[in-house]
Structures are given as C-alpha cells and as structure tokens.
Amino acid sequence: MTLRVEPSGVGCGALIRGVDLSRPHSPAEINLIRRAWLGHQVIGICDQNLEISDLERFAAALGPDGDDPFIASIAGHPRVVEVRREADETTPVFAEAWHSDWSFLEASPAGTLLYGKIIPPVGGDTLFANQYAAYDALSAAMKSRISGLQGIHAARRSYSPGGVYGERDKGRSMAIRFSERAMATQLHPLVRRHLETGRSALFVNMGYTIGIDGMNETDATALLTELFAHQTRPEFVYRHRWSPGLLTLWDNRCLLHTATGGYQGHQRFLWRITIGERRADFTKRSKCLGSGLCDSNAVHPGRASSGFP
Ligand code: SIN
C-alpha cells in the first residue's frame, strides 16, 4: 500500500494513510512523513497499532530526545510520558491553553508525538494554530514593531508550586512534578525563523510567554494581548479529531496547540514523546545568533525581569 497524504483543507494539518509503523520503516518512508510534517505542520498517521517500542523507534528516526521537564516518564521508557485523564477526574483538563510545548526551554522542542490509546467517544479534540500564517497576516507596522524583540518564556503559571499544576492541584492522574525550577525564564525572539523550512513564524504563546525583554509590564501586556488574540484567529486553526490508533506529530516551531475538554465521564489516555531539534539544525541556529530571527540561547534562572506572572 502506498502512503497517502490528505490535507485538512484549513489552516494546517493533514492525515496520512497507508503506512504501518509497527514494523521497521524505511528511510524513504521517514522522508515522506517528514516532508508531510514540515509542509502541513501537524499530521495524523491513521490506524496504527503500536507498542511503546514502535513509538520509540519512530521518534528516534525523527530526531534526538527532547527534554520533558515536570512530567515523570513511564518506568523503563525515559522518552515517553502519559497524557491521561480518568473518567471521574475533576482537575482542569491538562494543556487546555494555547502553547508551544516547553517554549520556556533554551532548546525548545522541534516536535511532539502523541499516540491515542484510549479516546473518548465525544470531545477531547486538539486545536492547532498555524503561526507562519499568523505572522504573514500581521500588518507591516506590527511586523516592524516586533522585529528584534525577545519574548520572556517561563513555566511558572503552570508548573511552579503556585501554578495550575502546583500544590493546589489535587487528584490528577498524570504524573506532573511541579517545581521551583518553573520560575526560570528564557528568551526567544517574537519572530523565529524555522531552521528546516526557513520560514518566519510568530513565536509567543499565552501559556508560557510572560513578558517582553526590556519592555515595561503595561506595554508588554498590551502588545502580548494583541498578539495572543491575533495568533489564534479561526482562519489559522485546525481541529484535530482523535481516534484510537491515531498517531499525531506536530511542529512546535510554527504551531500553537491547545487541548479541549468535553469528555467528562470518559477516560482519555495517550502516550507522548518530545522530539528535539536535530543536531545539524541546532548548529544552524547557533550560527545565526544575533540575527534577530534565531533564539537567544540565553537562560536567566529565576531572574527578576520584566516578565510577570
Ligand atoms: C499536549 O499538549 O501535549 C496535550 C494535547 C492534548 O491532550 O490534546
């Protein structure tokens, strides 16, 4: 059977059929999947029947291990975490806020794999917003205003002891480990060039961008609020509907995503692996430091910056 790519026809996203990742895949298959991923930003590979080892093998073919702070991995599988919610759970839905995975890290991840094991009959879709399109649609005045600015990213609103998943978050089935380390901040340009496609994308998100370097809180809040409203406009958004055995791969460098609820009374359970930037691409990033379009690579642990909680 040959691999087929079916574009969603909206802001981003495609489904892939005709590939079985439970058996070793050829370099040609990986290249085709990679091209579809880079071209459509998020792909759903349908009808898979995978063991954890199959998922790990596929992840290794895509890129190096990504860092997964604040969530404990599955015993014996250091790359894999569980995204889960029990039928009777009442905690806030995990990741129900627009974000790019772990954007508060110096080496924020290139991609994320999420594999549907138990999928509720209703609700639980994941929404994706195309950040190339969001950047392209900005006015010339806004593009010039944000050019060269650096966003301050931190995990504090979610993963610090006082955060959404902190001390007060009781009864959650996911293995979240909150920590003071979530107070650390990291700069990334508001406009970031994708190292594999060369395209510019807006790189701020409501979940983790807490300020703008060198800008006072009032001005930064006003600018970020405007960008947050713009970047998830309906024309940039694709609604990804899950089914058991659907393997989803998204690109954190040019997409935002958010989980959604609507499945109270049903269990939802997925395996997740974070994919790091490939070494060759990472080297490119180091070379373009200072261009205003690459990451700053600067870490400012817990600094009292113009970032605000
Ligand atoms: C995530 O952001 O990793 C989870 C998305 C989802 O559960 O739909």
Side-chain angles (χ1 to χ4, degrees):
M1 198 172 179
T2 45
L3 184 149
R4 295 193 312 281
V5 180
E6 300 169 3
S8 72
V10 295
C12 51
L15 293 180
I16 294 193
R17 297 183 200 279
V19 63
D20 175 4
L21 295 172
S22 69
R23 53 169 186 77
H25 32 259
S26 67
E29 268 174 336
I30 293 295
N31 276 341
L32 284 173
I33 293 171
R34 193 169 191 96
R35 273 188 18 216
W37 174 48
L38 293 176
H40 298 280
Q41 302 166 259
V42 48
I43 52 174
I45 307 173
C46 302
D47 305 323
Q48 302 301 304
N49 186 4
L50 305 181
E51 302 294 335
I52 288 198
S53 56
D54 300 322
L55 197 61
E56 289 167 325
R57 184 181 57 235
F58 181 52
L62 292 171
D65 291 11
D67 207 5
D68 257 316
F70 310 121
I71 307 180
S73 56
I74 300 177
H77 300 279
R79 284 195 81 169
V80 188
V81 301
E82 288 179 357
V83 172
R84 69 181 311 145
R85 187 178 173 79
E86 299 304 332
D88 58 356
E89 198 164 325
T90 55
T91 59
V93 168
F94 173 69
E96 194 175 16
W98 286 105
H99 65 286
S100 167
D101 282 337
W102 309 144
S103 72
F104 50 83
L105 294 178
E106 176 190 355
S108 56
T112 304
L113 274 172
L114 195 57
Y115 177 59
K117 296 281 293 170
I118 299 174
I119 299 300
V122 288
D125 301 340
T126 309
L127 306 183
F128 293 91
N130 179 341
Q131 296 307 292
Y132 295 136
Y135 176 71
D136 291 345
L138 289 173
S139 66
M142 181 59 95
K143 281 182 181 160
S144 136
R145 186 169 164 209
I146 65 175
S147 163
L149 292 180
Q150 304 263 342
I152 302 167
H153 295 243
R156 61 185 64 171
R157 289 183 189 140
S158 304
Y159 297 100
S160 69
V164 176
Y165 308 121
E167 281 158 352
R168 291 188 307 270
D169 187 45
K170 304 289 185 218
R172 186 172 293 282
S173 56
M174 271 184 72
I176 294 184
R177 306 282 183 260
F178 64 83
S179 157
E180 286 290 348
R181 286 185 299 115
M183 298 307 289
T185 60
Q186 172 65 47
L187 300 183
H188 292 293
L190 265 57
V191 182
R192 194 172 152 183
R193 181 175 290 150
H194 192 295
L195 295 178
E196 293 187 77
T197 66
R199 296 183 64 190
S200 295
L202 202 49
F203 196 71
V204 292
N205 66 83
M206 196 179 281
Y208 300 132
T209 313
I210 62 167
I212 296 179
D213 196 41
M215 195 178 280
N216 68 53
E217 178 171 340
T218 307
D219 291 349
T221 301
L223 179 53
L224 286 174
T225 303
E226 193 174 342
L227 292 174
F228 293 157
H230 167 84
Q231 68 184 163
T232 56
R233 277 176 16 195
E235 63 267 36
F236 309 141
V237 172
Y238 158 61
R239 177 176 285 273
H240 190 64
R241 295 200 164 83
W242 287 92
S243 50
L246 182 67
L247 174 61
T248 301
L249 169 63
W250 65 81
D251 191 332
N252 288 301
R253 300 162 290 187
C254 54
L255 274 183
L256 298 186
H257 65 281
T258 178
T260 66
Y263 56 95
Q264 197 61 33
H266 301 281
Q267 192 187 25
R268 185 172 183 268
F269 173 39
L270 308 94
W271 286 330
R272 191 176 106 156
I273 296 187
T274 305
I275 315 283
E277 197 86 76
R278 292 187 304 183
R279 186 172 295 278
D281 299 321
F282 202 70
T283 307
K284 275 188 236 161
R285 182 174 83 165
S286 309
K287 284 198 182 130
C288 64
L289 284 179
S291 72
L293 284 169
C294 301
D295 290 312
S296 68
N297 280 336
V299 187
H300 308 278
R303 81 183 191 172
S305 65
S306 51
F308 34 89

